[in-house]
Amino acid sequence: MLLDGELVVWHDGKLAFDLLQKRMNRTLAAAAREAPTSPANFVAFGPADS
């Protein structure tokens, strides 16, 4: 199976790209420290209805 999607971080019901950027390009330990307050979620896209 092949999935298309993206990682997102939600904050107050909205996408928070700035919080996702804080988790990118960090060491595993630094990203793990951010995870409890800014958990990343994978949102998969399905085929569009025609």
Side-chain angles (χ1 to χ4, degrees):
M1 178 190 305
L2 187 65
L3 293 175
D4 184 18
E6 62 184 71
L7 286 174
V8 298
V9 173
W10 297 95
H11 181 72
D12 292 333
K14 297 179 184 174
L15 294 176
F17 187 68
D18 58 319
L19 295 177
L20 180 61
Q21 284 182 313
K22 284 178 62 176
R23 296 199 47 195
M24 295 169 45
N25 298 321
R26 295 190 174 244
T27 65
L28 182 58
R33 284 191 301 270
E34 294 287 333
T37 56
S38 301
N41 300 274
F42 180 75
V43 177
F45 304 116
D49 291 336
S50 304

